[in-house]
Coordinates of all heavy atoms in Angstrom, one line a residue:
M235 N -43.6 114.0 39.5 CA -43.8 113.1 38.3 C -44.2 113.9 37.1 O -45.0 114.8 37.2 CB -44.8 112.0 38.6 CG -44.2 110.7 38.8 SD -45.4 109.3 38.9 CE -46.9 110.1 39.7
G236 N -43.7 113.5 36.0 CA -44.2 114.2 34.8 C -43.2 113.9 33.6 O -42.1 113.5 33.8
E237 N -43.7 114.1 32.4 CA -42.9 113.8 31.3 C -41.7 114.8 31.1 O -41.7 115.9 31.8 CB -43.6 113.7 30.0 CG -44.4 115.0 29.6 CD -45.3 114.8 28.4 OE1 -46.4 114.4 28.6 OE2 -44.8 115.1 27.3
S238 N -40.7 114.5 30.4 CA -39.5 115.3 30.2 C -40.0 116.7 29.7 O -40.8 116.8 28.7 CB -38.6 114.6 29.2 OG -37.4 115.4 29.0
G239 N -39.5 117.7 30.3 CA -39.8 119.1 29.9 C -41.0 119.6 30.5 O -41.4 120.8 30.2
S240 N -41.6 118.9 31.4 CA -42.8 119.4 32.1 C -42.6 120.4 33.2 O -43.5 120.9 33.8 CB -43.7 118.2 32.5 OG -43.0 117.5 33.5
G241 N -41.3 120.5 33.7 CA -41.0 121.5 34.7 C -40.6 120.9 36.1 O -40.5 121.6 37.0
K242 N -40.3 119.6 36.1 CA -39.9 119.0 37.4 C -38.6 119.6 38.0 O -38.7 120.0 39.2 CB -39.7 117.5 37.2 CG -40.8 116.7 36.7 CD -40.5 115.2 36.5 CE -39.4 114.9 35.6 NZ -39.7 115.2 34.2
S243 N -37.6 119.7 37.2 CA -36.4 120.3 37.7 C -36.5 121.7 38.1 O -36.0 122.2 39.1 CB -35.3 120.1 36.7 OG -35.0 118.8 36.4
T244 N -37.3 122.5 37.3 CA -37.5 123.9 37.5 C -38.2 124.1 38.9 O -37.9 124.9 39.7 CB -38.4 124.5 36.4 OG1 -37.7 124.3 35.2 CG2 -38.6 126.0 36.6
L245 N -39.2 123.2 39.1 CA -40.0 123.3 40.4 C -39.0 122.9 41.6 O -39.0 123.6 42.6 CB -41.2 122.4 40.4 CG -42.0 122.3 41.6 CD1 -42.6 123.7 41.9 CD2 -43.1 121.3 41.5
A246 N -38.2 121.9 41.4 CA -37.3 121.5 42.5 C -36.3 122.6 42.8 O -36.0 122.9 44.0 CB -36.6 120.2 42.1
K247 N -35.8 123.2 41.8 CA -34.8 124.3 42.0 C -35.5 125.5 42.7 O -34.9 126.2 43.5 CB -34.2 124.8 40.7 CG -33.2 123.9 40.1 CD -32.6 124.5 38.8 CE -32.1 123.4 37.9 NZ -31.9 124.0 36.5
L248 N -36.7 125.7 42.3 CA -37.5 126.8 43.0 C -37.6 126.5 44.5 O -37.5 127.4 45.3 CB -38.9 127.0 42.4 CG -39.7 128.1 42.9 CD1 -40.3 128.9 41.8 CD2 -40.8 127.6 43.8
L249 N -37.9 125.3 44.8 CA -38.1 124.9 46.2 C -36.8 125.2 47.1 O -36.9 125.5 48.3 CB -38.5 123.5 46.4 CG -39.9 123.2 45.8 CD1 -40.2 121.7 45.9 CD2 -41.0 124.0 46.5
V250 N -35.7 125.0 46.5 CA -34.4 125.3 47.2 C -33.8 126.6 46.8 O -32.7 127.0 47.3 CB -33.3 124.2 47.0 CG1 -33.7 123.0 47.9 CG2 -33.1 123.8 45.6
R251 N -34.6 127.4 46.1 CA -34.2 128.8 45.7 C -32.9 128.8 45.0 O -32.0 129.7 45.4 CB -34.3 129.7 46.9 CG -35.8 129.9 47.3 CD -35.9 130.6 48.6 NE -35.2 131.8 48.8 CZ -35.4 132.7 49.8 NH1 -36.4 132.5 50.6 NH2 -34.7 133.8 49.9
V252 N -32.6 128.0 44.0 CA -31.4 128.1 43.3 C -31.7 128.2 41.8 O -30.9 127.6 41.0 CB -30.5 126.8 43.6 CG1 -30.0 126.8 45.0 CG2 -31.2 125.5 43.2
W253 N -32.7 129.0 41.5 CA -33.0 129.1 40.0 C -31.9 130.0 39.3 O -31.2 130.8 40.0 CB -34.4 129.7 39.9 CG -34.6 131.0 40.6 CD1 -34.2 132.2 40.3 CD2 -35.3 131.1 41.9 NE1 -34.6 133.1 41.2 CE2 -35.3 132.5 42.2 CE3 -36.0 130.2 42.7 CZ2 -35.9 133.0 43.3 CZ3 -36.6 130.7 43.8 CH2 -36.5 132.1 44.2
E254 N -31.9 129.9 38.0 CA -30.9 130.6 37.2 C -31.2 132.1 37.3 O -32.4 132.5 37.6 CB -31.0 130.2 35.8 CG -30.3 128.9 35.5 CD -31.1 127.7 35.8 OE1 -32.3 127.8 36.1 OE2 -30.6 126.5 35.7
R255 N -30.2 132.9 37.0 CA -30.4 134.3 37.2 C -31.3 135.0 36.3 O -31.8 136.1 36.6 CB -29.0 135.0 37.1 CG -28.3 135.1 38.4 CD -26.9 135.6 38.3 NE -25.9 134.5 38.6 CZ -24.6 134.6 38.4 NH1 -24.1 135.6 37.7 NH2 -23.9 133.6 38.8
N256 N -31.6 134.4 35.1 CA -32.5 135.0 34.2 C -34.0 134.6 34.4 O -34.8 134.9 33.6 CB -32.1 134.7 32.8 CG -32.2 133.2 32.4 OD1 -32.3 132.4 33.3 ND2 -32.1 132.9 31.2
V257 N -34.2 133.9 35.5 CA -35.6 133.4 35.8 C -36.2 134.5 36.8 O -35.6 134.9 37.7 CB -35.5 132.1 36.5 CG1 -36.9 131.7 37.2 CG2 -35.1 131.0 35.6
S258 N -37.4 134.9 36.5 CA -38.1 135.8 37.4 C -39.3 135.0 38.0 O -40.1 134.4 37.3 CB -38.5 137.0 36.7 OG -39.2 136.7 35.5
L259 N -39.5 135.2 39.2 CA -40.6 134.6 39.9 C -41.8 135.6 39.9 O -41.7 136.7 40.3 CB -40.2 134.4 41.4 CG -41.2 133.7 42.4 CD1 -41.5 132.4 41.9 CD2 -40.6 133.7 43.7
V260 N -42.9 135.1 39.2 CA -44.0 135.9 39.0 C -45.0 135.9 40.2 O -45.4 137.0 40.6 CB -44.7 135.5 37.7 CG1 -45.9 136.4 37.4 CG2 -43.7 135.6 36.5
D261 N -45.2 134.7 40.6 CA -46.3 134.6 41.7 C -46.2 133.3 42.4 O -45.5 132.4 41.9 CB -47.7 134.7 41.0 CG -48.8 135.0 42.0 OD1 -48.5 135.4 43.1 OD2 -50.0 134.9 41.7
G262 N -46.8 133.2 43.5 CA -46.9 132.0 44.3 C -46.1 132.0 45.6 O -45.2 132.9 45.8
D263 N -46.4 131.1 46.4 CA -45.8 130.9 47.7 C -45.4 129.5 47.9 O -45.9 128.6 47.3 CB -46.8 131.3 48.9 CG -47.2 132.8 48.8 OD1 -46.4 133.6 48.5 OD2 -48.4 133.0 48.9
V264 N -44.5 129.2 48.9 CA -44.1 127.9 49.2 C -44.2 127.8 50.8 O -43.6 128.6 51.5 CB -42.6 127.6 48.8 CG1 -42.2 126.2 49.4 CG2 -42.5 127.6 47.3
Y265 N -45.0 126.8 51.2 CA -45.2 126.7 52.7 C -44.5 125.4 53.1 O -44.7 124.4 52.5 CB -46.7 126.6 53.0 CG -47.4 128.0 52.9 CD1 -47.9 128.4 51.6 CD2 -47.5 128.8 54.0 CE1 -48.5 129.6 51.6 CE2 -48.1 130.1 53.9 CZ -48.6 130.5 52.7 OH -49.1 131.7 52.6
L266 N -43.8 125.6 54.2 CA -43.1 124.5 54.8 C -43.4 124.5 56.3 O -43.2 125.5 57.0 CB -41.6 124.5 54.6 CG -40.8 123.5 55.3 CD1 -41.0 122.1 54.6 CD2 -39.3 123.9 55.3
D267 N -44.1 123.4 56.8 CA -44.5 123.3 58.1 C -45.4 124.6 58.5 O -45.2 125.1 59.6 CB -43.3 123.2 59.1 CG -42.5 122.0 58.9 OD1 -43.1 121.0 58.4 OD2 -41.3 122.0 59.2
G268 N -46.2 125.0 57.6 CA -47.1 126.1 57.8 C -46.5 127.5 57.7 O -47.2 128.5 57.8
K269 N -45.2 127.5 57.3 CA -44.6 128.8 57.2 C -44.2 129.1 55.8 O -43.6 128.2 55.1 CB -43.3 128.8 58.1 CG -42.5 130.1 58.0 CD -41.3 130.1 58.9 CE -40.4 131.4 58.6 NZ -39.2 131.4 59.4
E270 N -44.4 130.3 55.3 CA -44.1 130.6 53.9 C -42.6 130.8 53.8 O -42.0 131.6 54.6 CB -44.8 131.9 53.5 CG -45.0 132.1 52.0 CD -43.7 132.4 51.2 OE1 -43.0 133.3 51.6 OE2 -43.5 131.7 50.2
V271 N -41.9 130.1 52.9 CA -40.4 130.1 52.9 C -39.8 130.6 51.6 O -38.6 130.7 51.5 CB -39.8 128.8 53.2 CG1 -40.2 128.3 54.7 CG2 -40.3 127.7 52.3
L272 N -40.7 131.0 50.7 CA -40.1 131.4 49.4 C -39.7 132.9 49.4 O -38.8 133.3 48.7 CB -41.2 131.2 48.3 CG -40.8 131.5 46.8 CD1 -39.6 130.6 46.4 CD2 -41.9 131.4 45.8
H273 N -40.3 133.6 50.3 CA -40.0 135.1 50.4 C -39.3 135.5 51.7 O -39.1 136.7 51.9 CB -41.3 135.8 50.2 CG -42.0 135.6 48.9 ND1 -43.0 134.7 48.8 CD2 -41.8 136.1 47.7 CE1 -43.4 134.7 47.5 NE2 -42.6 135.5 46.8
I274 N -38.9 134.6 52.5 CA -38.1 135.0 53.6 C -36.7 135.4 53.2 O -36.3 135.0 52.1 CB -38.0 133.8 54.7 CG1 -37.3 132.6 54.1 CG2 -39.4 133.4 55.2 CD1 -37.0 131.5 55.1
P275 N -36.0 136.2 54.0 CA -34.6 136.6 53.6 C -33.7 135.5 53.3 O -33.8 134.4 53.9 CB -34.2 137.4 54.9 CG -35.4 137.8 55.6 CD -36.4 136.7 55.3
E276 N -32.9 135.7 52.3 CA -32.0 134.6 51.8 C -31.1 134.1 52.9 O -30.9 132.9 53.0 CB -31.1 135.2 50.7 CG -30.0 134.3 50.3 CD -30.4 132.8 49.9 OE1 -31.6 132.7 49.5 OE2 -29.6 131.9 50.0
E277 N -30.7 135.0 53.8 CA -29.8 134.5 54.9 C -30.5 133.6 55.8 O -30.0 132.5 56.2 CB -29.2 135.7 55.7 CG -28.4 135.4 56.9 CD -27.1 134.6 56.5 OE1 -26.7 134.7 55.3 OE2 -26.7 133.9 57.3
E278 N -31.8 133.9 56.1 CA -32.6 132.9 57.0 C -32.8 131.6 56.2 O -32.7 130.6 56.8 CB -33.9 133.6 57.3 CG -34.8 132.8 58.2 CD -36.1 133.5 58.4 OE1 -36.3 134.7 58.1 OE2 -37.0 132.8 59.0
F279 N -33.1 131.7 54.9 CA -33.3 130.5 54.1 C -32.1 129.6 54.1 O -32.1 128.4 54.3 CB -33.8 130.8 52.7 CG -34.3 129.7 51.9 CD1 -35.6 129.3 52.0 CD2 -33.4 129.0 51.1 CE1 -36.1 128.2 51.3 CE2 -33.9 127.9 50.4 CZ -35.2 127.5 50.5
R280 N -30.9 130.2 53.9 CA -29.7 129.5 53.9 C -29.4 128.8 55.2 O -28.9 127.7 55.3 CB -28.5 130.5 53.5 CG -27.2 129.8 53.3 CD -26.0 130.8 53.3 NE -25.9 131.5 54.5 CZ -25.3 131.0 55.6 NH1 -24.9 129.8 55.6 NH2 -25.3 131.7 56.7
R281 N -29.6 129.6 56.3 CA -29.2 129.2 57.6 C -30.2 128.0 58.1 O -29.7 127.1 58.8 CB -29.3 130.3 58.6 CG -28.6 130.2 59.9 CD -28.6 131.4 60.7 NE -30.0 131.9 60.9 CZ -30.4 133.1 60.6 NH1 -29.6 134.0 60.0 NH2 -31.6 133.5 60.8
E282 N -31.5 128.2 57.8 CA -32.4 127.2 58.5 C -33.1 126.3 57.5 O -33.6 125.2 58.0 CB -33.5 128.1 59.2 CG -32.9 128.9 60.3 CD -34.0 129.8 60.9 OE1 -35.2 129.6 60.7 OE2 -33.6 130.8 61.6
I283 N -33.2 126.6 56.2 CA -34.0 125.7 55.4 C -33.2 124.9 54.4 O -33.3 123.7 54.3 CB -35.0 126.6 54.6 CG1 -35.8 127.5 55.5 CG2 -36.0 125.7 53.8 CD1 -36.8 126.9 56.4
R284 N -32.4 125.6 53.5 CA -31.7 124.9 52.4 C -30.7 123.9 52.9 O -29.8 124.2 53.7 CB -31.0 126.0 51.5 CG -30.5 125.3 50.2 CD -29.7 126.2 49.3 NE -30.5 127.3 48.9 CZ -30.3 128.6 49.2 NH1 -29.3 129.0 49.8 NH2 -31.1 129.5 48.7
W285 N -30.8 122.7 52.4 CA -30.0 121.5 52.8 C -30.3 121.0 54.2 O -29.8 120.0 54.6 CB -28.5 121.8 52.6 CG -28.1 122.5 51.3 CD1 -27.2 123.4 51.2 CD2 -28.7 122.2 50.0 NE1 -27.1 123.8 49.9 CE2 -28.0 123.1 49.1 CE3 -29.6 121.4 49.5 CZ2 -28.3 123.2 47.7 CZ3 -29.9 121.5 48.1 CH2 -29.2 122.4 47.3
K286 N -31.1 121.7 55.0 CA -31.4 121.3 56.3 C -32.8 120.7 56.3 O -33.1 119.6 56.8 CB -31.3 122.4 57.3 CG -29.8 122.9 57.4 CD -29.6 123.9 58.5 CE -28.1 124.3 58.7 NZ -27.7 125.1 57.6
K287 N -33.8 121.4 55.7 CA -35.1 121.0 55.7 C -35.6 120.6 54.3 O -36.5 119.8 54.0 CB -36.1 122.0 56.3 CG -35.9 122.2 57.8 CD -36.9 123.0 58.4 CE -36.8 123.1 59.9 NZ -37.8 124.0 60.5
I288 N -35.0 121.3 53.3 CA -35.3 121.0 51.9 C -34.0 120.8 51.1 O -33.1 121.6 51.2 CB -36.0 122.1 51.1 CG1 -37.3 122.5 51.9 CG2 -36.4 121.7 49.7 CD1 -38.0 123.7 51.3
A289 N -33.8 119.7 50.4 CA -32.6 119.4 49.7 C -33.0 118.8 48.3 O -34.1 118.3 48.1 CB -31.7 118.4 50.4
M290 N -32.1 118.9 47.4 CA -32.3 118.4 46.0 C -31.2 117.6 45.6 O -30.0 118.0 45.8 CB -32.5 119.6 45.1 CG -32.6 119.2 43.6 SD -32.8 120.8 42.7 CE -32.7 120.0 41.0
V291 N -31.4 116.4 45.1 CA -30.4 115.5 44.6 C -30.6 115.3 43.1 O -31.6 114.7 42.8 CB -30.3 114.2 45.4 CG1 -29.2 113.3 44.8 CG2 -30.2 114.3 46.8
P292 N -29.7 115.9 42.3 CA -29.9 115.7 40.8 C -29.8 114.2 40.5 O -29.1 113.5 41.1 CB -28.8 116.5 40.2 CG -28.3 117.4 41.3 CD -28.6 116.7 42.6
Q293 N -30.7 113.9 39.5 CA -30.7 112.5 39.0 C -29.4 112.0 38.5 O -29.0 110.9 38.7 CB -31.7 112.4 37.9 CG -32.5 111.1 37.9 CD -33.8 111.3 37.0 OE1 -34.1 112.4 36.6 NE2 -34.3 110.2 36.6
A294 N -28.7 112.9 37.8 CA -27.4 112.5 37.1 C -26.4 113.7 37.3 O -26.8 114.8 37.4 CB -27.6 112.2 35.7
S295 N -25.1 113.3 37.3 CA -24.1 114.3 37.5 C -24.1 115.4 36.4 O -23.8 116.5 36.6 CB -22.7 113.6 37.6 OG -22.5 112.9 36.4
M296 N -24.6 115.0 35.2 CA -24.6 115.9 34.1 C -25.6 117.0 34.4 O -25.6 118.1 33.8 CB -25.0 115.2 32.8 CG -23.9 114.3 32.3 SD -22.4 115.2 31.9 CE -22.8 115.8 30.2
N297 N -26.6 116.7 35.3 CA -27.5 117.8 35.6 C -27.0 118.7 36.7 O -27.6 119.8 37.0 CB -28.9 117.1 36.2 CG -29.6 116.4 35.1 OD1 -29.4 116.6 33.9 ND2 -30.4 115.4 35.5
A298 N -25.9 118.3 37.4 CA -25.4 119.1 38.5 C -24.1 119.8 38.1 O -23.8 120.9 38.6 CB -25.2 118.2 39.7
L299 N -23.3 119.1 37.3 CA -22.0 119.6 36.9 C -22.0 120.1 35.4 O -22.6 119.4 34.6 CB -21.0 118.5 37.1 CG -20.8 118.1 38.6 CD1 -20.0 116.8 38.7 CD2 -20.3 119.2 39.5
N300 N -21.2 121.1 35.2 CA -21.0 121.5 33.8 C -19.9 120.8 33.2 O -18.8 120.8 33.7 CB -20.7 123.1 33.8 CG -20.7 123.7 32.4 OD1 -20.3 123.0 31.5 ND2 -21.0 124.9 32.3
P301 N -20.1 120.0 32.1 CA -19.1 119.1 31.5 C -17.9 119.8 30.9 O -16.9 119.2 30.7 CB -19.9 118.3 30.5 CG -21.1 119.1 30.1 CD -21.4 119.9 31.4
V302 N -18.0 121.1 30.7 CA -16.9 121.9 30.1 C -16.1 122.7 31.1 O -15.2 123.4 30.7 CB -17.4 122.8 28.9 CG1 -18.0 122.0 27.8 CG2 -18.3 123.9 29.4
I303 N -16.4 122.6 32.4 CA -15.7 123.3 33.4 C -15.1 122.2 34.4 O -15.8 121.3 34.7 CB -16.5 124.3 34.2 CG1 -17.1 125.3 33.2 CG2 -15.8 125.0 35.3 CD1 -18.1 126.3 33.8
R304 N -13.8 122.3 34.8 CA -13.2 121.4 35.7 C -14.1 121.3 37.0 O -14.5 122.3 37.5 CB -11.8 121.8 36.0 CG -10.9 121.6 34.9 CD -9.5 122.1 35.3 NE -8.6 122.0 34.2 CZ -7.9 120.9 33.9 NH1 -8.0 119.8 34.6 NH2 -7.1 120.9 32.8
I305 N -14.2 120.0 37.5 CA -15.0 119.8 38.7 C -14.5 120.7 39.8 O -15.2 121.3 40.6 CB -15.0 118.3 39.1 CG1 -15.8 117.6 38.1 CG2 -15.6 118.1 40.5 CD1 -15.9 116.1 38.2
G306 N -13.1 120.7 40.0 CA -12.5 121.5 41.1 C -12.9 122.9 41.0 O -13.2 123.6 42.0
D307 N -12.9 123.5 39.7 CA -13.3 124.9 39.5 C -14.7 125.1 39.9 O -15.1 126.1 40.5 CB -13.1 125.3 38.1 CG -11.6 125.4 37.8 OD1 -10.7 125.5 38.7 OD2 -11.2 125.5 36.6
Q308 N -15.6 124.1 39.6 CA -17.0 124.2 40.0 C -17.2 124.2 41.5 O -18.1 124.9 42.0 CB -17.8 123.1 39.3 CG -17.9 123.3 37.8 CD -18.7 122.2 37.1 OE1 -19.9 122.1 37.3 NE2 -18.0 121.5 36.2
M309 N -16.4 123.4 42.2 CA -16.6 123.4 43.6 C -16.1 124.6 44.2 O -16.7 125.2 45.2 CB -15.8 122.2 44.1 CG -16.3 120.9 43.6 SD -15.7 119.4 44.4 CE -16.8 119.2 45.7
I310 N -15.0 125.2 43.7 CA -14.5 126.5 44.2 C -15.5 127.6 44.0 O -15.8 128.4 44.8 CB -13.1 126.8 43.5 CG1 -12.0 125.9 44.0 CG2 -12.7 128.3 43.8 CD1 -10.7 125.9 43.2
E311 N -16.1 127.6 42.8 CA -17.1 128.5 42.4 C -18.2 128.5 43.4 O -18.7 129.5 43.9 CB -17.7 128.4 41.0 CG -18.7 129.4 40.7 CD -19.3 129.2 39.3 OE1 -19.0 128.3 38.6 OE2 -20.2 130.1 39.0
H312 N -18.7 127.2 43.7 CA -19.8 127.1 44.7 C -19.4 127.7 46.1 O -20.2 128.4 46.7 CB -20.1 125.6 44.8 CG -21.2 125.3 45.8 ND1 -22.6 125.6 45.5 CD2 -21.2 124.8 47.1 CE1 -23.2 125.3 46.6 NE2 -22.5 124.8 47.5
C313 N -18.2 127.3 46.5 CA -17.8 127.8 47.8 C -17.6 129.3 47.9 O -17.9 129.9 48.9 CB -16.4 127.1 48.2 SG -16.5 125.3 48.4
C314 N -17.2 129.9 46.8 CA -16.9 131.3 46.8 C -18.1 132.1 46.1 O -17.9 133.2 45.7 CB -15.7 131.6 46.0 SG -14.3 130.7 46.7
Y315 N -19.3 131.5 46.1 CA -20.4 132.1 45.3 C -20.6 133.6 45.7 O -20.7 134.4 44.8 CB -21.7 131.3 45.6 CG -22.9 131.8 44.8 CD1 -23.0 131.3 43.5 CD2 -23.7 132.8 45.3 CE1 -24.1 131.8 42.7 CE2 -24.7 133.3 44.5 CZ -24.9 132.8 43.2 OH -25.9 133.3 42.4
R316 N -20.7 133.8 47.0 CA -20.9 135.2 47.4 C -19.8 136.2 46.9 O -20.1 137.3 46.4 CB -21.0 135.3 48.9 CG -22.2 134.9 49.5 CD -22.0 134.5 50.9 NE -23.2 133.9 51.5 CZ -24.1 134.5 52.2 NH1 -24.0 135.8 52.4 NH2 -25.2 133.9 52.6
E317 N -18.6 135.8 47.0 CA -17.5 136.6 46.6 C -17.5 136.8 45.1 O -17.2 137.9 44.6 CB -16.2 136.0 47.1 CG -15.9 136.2 48.5 CD -16.7 135.3 49.4 OE1 -17.3 134.3 48.9 OE2 -16.8 135.5 50.6
L318 N -17.9 135.8 44.3 CA -17.8 135.8 42.9 C -19.0 136.7 42.3 O -18.8 137.4 41.4 CB -17.9 134.4 42.3 CG -16.7 133.6 42.4 CD1 -17.0 132.1 42.0 CD2 -15.6 134.1 41.5
T319 N -20.1 136.6 43.0 CA -21.3 137.3 42.4 C -21.7 138.6 43.2 O -22.4 139.4 42.6 CB -22.5 136.4 42.4 OG1 -22.9 136.1 43.8 CG2 -22.2 135.1 41.7
G320 N -21.3 138.6 44.4 CA -21.8 139.8 45.2 C -23.2 139.6 45.6 O -23.8 140.5 46.1
M321 N -23.8 138.5 45.2 CA -25.2 138.3 45.5 C -25.4 137.7 46.9 O -24.5 137.0 47.3 CB -25.9 137.5 44.4 CG -26.0 138.2 43.1 SD -26.6 137.1 41.8 CE -28.3 136.9 42.3
K322 N -26.7 137.8 47.4 CA -26.9 137.2 48.7 C -27.6 136.0 48.7 O -28.3 135.6 49.6 CB -27.7 138.3 49.5 CG -26.9 139.5 49.9 CD -27.7 140.4 50.7 CE -26.8 141.6 51.2 NZ -27.6 142.6 51.8
R323 N -27.6 135.2 47.6 CA -28.3 133.9 47.6 C -27.3 132.7 47.7 O -26.2 132.9 47.7 CB -29.2 133.7 46.4 CG -28.4 133.8 45.1 CD -29.4 133.4 44.0 NE -28.7 132.4 43.2 CZ -29.2 131.8 42.2 NH1 -30.4 132.0 41.8 NH2 -28.4 130.9 41.5
Ligands
ADP576 N1 -43.2 127.4 35.3 C1 -42.5 127.6 34.2 N2 -42.6 128.7 33.5 C2 -41.8 128.9 32.4 N3 -40.9 128.0 31.9 C3 -40.8 126.8 32.6 C4 -41.6 126.6 33.8 N4 -41.2 125.3 34.2 C5 -40.3 124.9 33.4 N5 -40.0 125.7 32.4 C6 -39.1 125.6 31.3 O1 -39.4 124.3 30.7 C7 -38.2 123.6 30.3 C8 -38.2 122.3 30.9 O2 -38.2 122.4 32.3 P1 -37.5 121.3 33.2 O3 -37.7 121.8 34.6 O4 -36.1 121.1 32.8 O5 -38.3 120.0 32.9 P2 -38.1 118.5 33.5 O6 -37.2 118.5 34.6 O7 -39.5 118.0 33.9 O8 -37.6 117.7 32.3 C9 -37.1 124.5 30.8 O9 -36.6 125.2 29.7 C10 -37.7 125.4 31.8 O10 -37.0 126.6 31.9
MG577 MG1 -35.3 117.6 34.9

């Protein structure tokens, strides 16, 4: 809960580790069922935590989809994230 701009979405994205690339994590831990999950390997987080134990549902489609990119292209980008970025998240 909090007023607009207070950091709700930012915190939610951090919990599922989908923050924007220009964001740097300075400090802090996230504990889930007694286990720290913010710093575990991405592959383990993807396999066991994200969308299985922690999920995020955006309030409105405009928060989830980019209005200037076709929805199909955004879905393809999501599916091909690794291939497109070479990143492991
Ligand atoms: N812990 C933080 N440190 C630095 N900037 C932050 C932090 N939390 C939020 N922000 C910035 O504040 C702005 C509003 O955050 P946001 O998460 O969109 O708020 P809300 O969802 O509550 O409206 C964004 O530009 C975001 O990058
Ligand atoms: Mg928000």
Side-chain angles (χ1 to χ4, degrees):
M235 250 188 330
E237 60 186 86
S238 181
S240 63
K242 302 181 299 293
S243 297
T244 303
L245 179 62
K247 285 184 205 167
L248 180 133
L249 292 174
V250 284
R251 290 170 49 164
V252 292
W253 54 78
E254 283 81 6
R255 270 173 245 168
N256 63 348
V257 169
S258 49
L259 181 61
V260 178
D261 196 13
D263 298 316
V264 173
Y265 286 88
L266 177 69
D267 297 333
K269 179 182 174 177
E270 204 288 314
V271 295
L272 187 58
H273 298 96
I274 63 175
E276 170 56 24
E277 178 58 26
E278 181 183 347
F279 190 84
R280 186 194 63 75
R281 197 177 55 240
E282 296 176 16
I283 311 285
R284 186 184 300 119
W285 314 142
K286 298 185 174 75
K287 292 187 173 174
I288 307 176
M290 173 182 174
V291 180
Q293 213 168 346
S295 59
M296 290 295 278
N297 293 337
L299 299 169
N300 186 330
V302 299
I303 301 176
R304 288 177 184 276
I305 289 175
D307 290 344
Q308 291 180 62
M309 298 190 90
I310 290 169
E311 180 183 1
H312 178 74
C313 293
C314 303
Y315 185 85
R316 282 161 188 261
E317 285 71 17
L318 288 169
T319 65
M321 292 174 69
K322 289 185 176 169
R323 58 172 230 180

